[in-house]
Amino acid sequence: MKRIALLAAFLAAPVAASAAQPAPSPERQIDALLAPWNRPGAPGVVVGVIRDGKVVLTKRYGMADIERGVPMSPSAEFFIGSMSKQFTAFAIHLLAKDGKLSLDDDVHMYLPDVPDFGRKITIRHLMHHTSGLRDYFDLMAMAGLRPGDVIEEDKALATIRRQRTLNFEPGQGWDYSNTGYVLLARIVERVAGKPFPEFARERIFVPLGMTHTLFQQDYRTLVPGRVLSYVPADTGGYRLAPVNISMAGDGGVLTTLGDLALWDRNFYDGRVGGMDVIRQMQATGVLNDGKPIEYASGLFVHAYRGLRLVEHGGTAGGYGNQLWRFPDQHLSVMVFANTSDIDTDLTVRRIADMVLDRVPGAAPASPSAPATTFKEIRLDPARLDALVGFYATSPQSGITFTKENGRLMALGMGFPKMPAFPYSERDFFARMTASRFSFDPPGPDGIVAGGVLHWGEQDIPATRTTRPMPSAAELKRVEGDFYSDELHVLYSIAGKDGDLVLTYPGGTVTLGFNGERDYETGFGTLKYQCSAEGCSGFTVSTERARNVQFRRVALASASR
């Protein structure tokens, strides 16, 4: 009865609509938003709204386990990915409160095997993502990590130890880096003298009553009530997408909506850690030049609709999770999904808007396009012939459409080929990338001149043109074998059918050519270093791991 009264009071908050035509309740709006997932045979989502420390609304849609027919439940266990970082940061703050460490300590005091880059890297740098350390996920992808491979702590730490340069000097910039939080968990272990998951259980989860929460350090651990992870299958429906990660710190937490509500409440009463630690958790970082950043301790802190917002999300496999907290309003929104084709960033924002429309002082919401789901239609394969070709989306990139076995296939420069599914005669969607492509109507000559790539919230014009190809002389100049000491990996690059093909432990990739000796690999940009004498090597860069050096090597021929 108490919960019903809280929900009634929550839904009766002031609204902008007239008394004659009241706006639908948030509960009904959420039902409408997530209606596509309210069906058997499909994965789904759990939603929670917290007001004044009480869960006032929970909704569930779809299946937690499709094979066994287990419906989604508010008590289901989700792998929350990077949302785990706030627990790692909290553990560090608890040790600082105990006087066991200082946030301005050099990490080498606790982890002497971290490479010496000639610059002091502090615990605070790790926590705020200002260390300049390259992200180990991106590094392992460069080294050949494939979907389904197990990510083990020893391998990740070995990759980190091999690095010789940083993305930038510590404190000079901000780059989200999972590496920093892996090292923070190792620091907790060294200082506390016990495994990191054990410390988190004893000092955080048990005191807060979070009995269904743990840091999973071995992906084979059995977790009762675990929600399974799914991604769309190219042939329709879904396929299992297990998260084979055996490490904790940057991720690794499994938890429930109810347990996260207990964690959320701790930010108001400081039951564990005290309010001073809670304030430190939400204090954002500052760069060397005094410029503030929006990242605190495993939390982003910024404004939304004129209100202070503290939030963090997490993705892994098909899992997507968000926790948004409006601390001044004592209001939080949580979204947990177990399929990659639910945009949890967009979903939590729209649910927050539904709730904030009833909160005095919130600025009006920005208009947003309605949520849309796409359903494949039957299309005469003969209609696809006019669409085949290369469509440039920029001087450096584009998409090649081919027709194979009566289906349109799309190949982005440096990306794997994937089917494009029609939902109208000229509009196609991809199941794996949440992207769409709309072709222009054919001209009087029957030629389609271009189209628009819809990527996230961007609409990118595309022009049909001749695909750039390296010359025979260019191919000969850049072919060869190249080795990276930092990754301990060999890339073999050779020309094939006019293209440049990379073979490495991750497989074989046709490189996208932009006409300027830069190539797109699908996991980063490859930039050659050449002189009149030839090309001695190249660097590979991603957003979070820049300028990893490869040098040309001569492999000895096998003896007969």
Side-chain angles (χ1 to χ4, degrees):
M1 291 300 294
K2 185 176 180 181
R3 182 183 178 279
I4 294 171
L6 282 166
L7 179 57
F10 170 68
L11 297 181
V15 297
S18 67
Q21 293 182 332
S25 70
E27 188 167 7
R28 290 189 177 183
Q29 292 181 65
I30 294 169
D31 284 341
L33 174 67
L34 296 172
W37 309 105
N38 193 18
R39 67 184 195 276
V45 59
V46 172
V47 172
V49 177
I50 304 171
R51 190 74 177 262
D52 294 324
K54 303 290 185 181
V55 178
V56 296
L57 186 152
T58 59
K59 302 290 291 185
R60 57 183 176 86
Y61 310 87
M63 309 298 292
D65 183 337
I66 295 173
E67 286 180 290
R68 295 169 180 79
V70 180
M72 198 65 78
S73 165
S75 62
E77 292 265 0
F78 280 86
F79 188 93
I80 62 172
S82 286
M83 196 189 291
S84 311
K85 287 182 171 67
Q86 56 199 287
F87 296 105
T88 305
F90 195 75
I92 289 287
H93 280 294
L94 289 178
L95 290 173
K97 181 182 179 181
D98 294 343
K100 300 287 184 65
L101 56 78
S102 166
L103 300 188
D104 295 313
D105 286 343
D106 190 321
V107 298
H108 293 97
M109 292 174 57
Y110 310 99
L111 304 176
D113 56 343
V114 171
D116 183 358
F117 299 100
R119 299 289 187 274
K120 180 181 178 180
I121 298 175
T122 68
I123 293 174
R124 195 183 303 274
H125 286 141
L126 300 183
M127 195 174 293
H128 290 162
H129 297 301
T130 56
S131 68
L133 289 165
R134 293 164 170 162
D135 188 280
Y136 80 89
F137 266 120
D138 286 25
L139 294 170
M140 294 182 78
M142 290 182 193
L145 184 72
R146 294 170 294 183
D149 286 352
V150 178
I151 300 176
E152 297 174 331
E153 181 178 301
D154 288 349
K155 292 180 180 179
L157 291 174
T159 299
I160 294 168
R161 285 194 291 267
R162 281 195 293 266
Q163 300 310 297
R164 296 294 174 262
T165 60
L166 299 167
N167 285 338
F168 50 80
E169 290 193 15
Q172 291 293 101
W174 185 90
D175 259 345
Y176 190 92
S177 176
N178 288 287
T179 298
Y181 274 76
V182 170
L183 298 181
L184 287 173
R186 305 293 78 73
I187 291 172
V188 172
E189 290 188 338
R190 294 287 177 89
V191 174
K194 62 181 62 178
F196 173 65
E198 185 178 332
F199 179 89
R201 182 181 64 83
E202 293 178 357
R203 294 291 301 273
I204 304 173
F205 303 145
V206 170
L208 286 175
M210 298 173 67
T211 56
H212 301 286
T213 302
L214 74 155
F215 265 106
Q216 177 185 262
Q217 207 158 20
D218 185 339
Y219 78 98
R220 297 166 298 183
T221 301
L222 298 180
V223 180
R226 184 201 301 261
V227 171
L228 299 185
S229 162
Y230 301 95
V231 294
D234 286 342
T235 55
Y238 292 88
R239 61 180 178 85
L240 196 63
V243 177
N244 299 333
I245 300 177
S246 287
M247 56 192 304
D250 58 324
V253 166
L254 283 101
T255 190
T256 65
L257 184 150
D259 272 17
L260 272 187
L262 296 173
W263 169 248
D264 183 77
R265 186 184 304 169
N266 195 55
F267 279 78
Y268 300 109
D269 61 22
R271 177 181 171 185
V272 173
M275 291 309 297
D276 186 54
V277 166
I278 295 301
R279 284 188 288 271
Q280 292 179 54
M281 279 286 293
Q282 299 171 98
T284 54
V286 179
L287 299 181
N288 293 344
D289 61 3
K291 180 181 178 182
I293 60 174
E294 292 186 338
Y295 203 85
S297 299
L299 297 165
F300 289 95
V301 181
H302 48 97
Y304 184 73
R305 294 182 60 175
L307 307 176
R308 186 166 179 258
L309 171 62
V310 179
E311 53 90 6
H312 210 290
T315 59
Y319 298 111
N321 314 275
Q322 291 287 338
L323 170 55
W324 279 25
R325 180 185 306 110
F326 296 91
D328 298 332
Q329 287 70 39
H330 284 217
L331 173 67
S332 297
V333 178
M334 292 184 281
V335 174
F336 308 87
N338 67 330
T339 174
S340 61
D341 55 347
I342 293 180
D343 186 336
T344 52
D345 292 337
L346 182 61
T347 301
V348 74
R349 184 165 75 244
R350 287 183 169 162
I351 294 175
D353 283 338
M354 297 171 192
V355 178
L356 292 177
D357 285 343
R358 299 169 173 266
V359 172
S366 300
S368 58
T372 307
T373 56
F374 302 99
K375 185 176 181 180
E376 182 183 6
I377 64 169
R378 292 181 179 273
L379 199 62
D380 183 353
R383 293 180 177 270
L384 303 177
D385 295 334
L387 309 179
V388 171
F390 177 76
Y391 295 75
T393 53
S394 74
Q396 295 79 31
S397 189
I399 305 171
T400 300
F401 289 99
T402 57
K403 179 182 175 183
E404 300 178 18
N405 300 319
R407 181 179 290 282
L408 195 67
M409 303 294 292
L411 178 63
M413 292 176 67
F415 288 86
K417 186 181 292 185
M418 63 185 70
F421 299 92
Y423 63 95
S424 78
E425 288 195 3
R426 295 197 307 274
D427 298 298
F428 293 75
F429 70 97
R431 297 190 193 276
M432 295 300 296
T433 62
S435 60
R436 297 177 289 122
F437 196 93
S438 299
F439 291 92
D440 293 340
D445 55 2
I447 301 297
V448 174
V452 177
L453 170 65
H454 309 283
W455 185 273
E457 296 184 357
Q458 301 180 72
D459 294 327
I460 306 169
T463 302
R464 189 174 187 168
T465 184
T466 302
R467 182 165 73 92
M469 301 280 285
S471 66
E474 169 72 5
L475 288 176
K476 185 175 181 180
R477 187 173 170 82
V478 299
E479 287 179 318
D481 296 305
F482 301 84
Y483 178 76
S484 170
D485 289 320
E486 293 180 294
L487 298 179
H488 195 56
V489 68
L490 181 75
Y491 283 12
S492 294
I493 296 180
K496 182 180 180 181
D497 300 328
D499 280 312
L500 204 60
V501 175
L502 162 67
T503 301
Y504 75 126
T508 300
V509 177
T510 299
L511 302 181
F513 178 59
N514 72 355
E516 298 180 2
R517 204 165 282 155
D518 292 348
Y519 294 82
E520 294 300 324
T521 67
F523 53 79
T525 300
L526 188 153
K527 184 183 291 290
Y528 273 90
Q529 299 159 336
C530 301
S531 64
E533 289 73 33
C535 299
S536 60
F538 52 74
T539 60
V540 179
S541 297
T542 68
E543 182 180 355
R544 298 178 182 177
R546 298 196 281 278
N547 300 318
V548 177
Q549 183 69 50
F550 284 74
R551 56 184 174 83
R552 184 186 290 275
V553 294
L555 301 182
S557 300
S559 58
R560 293 179 177 274

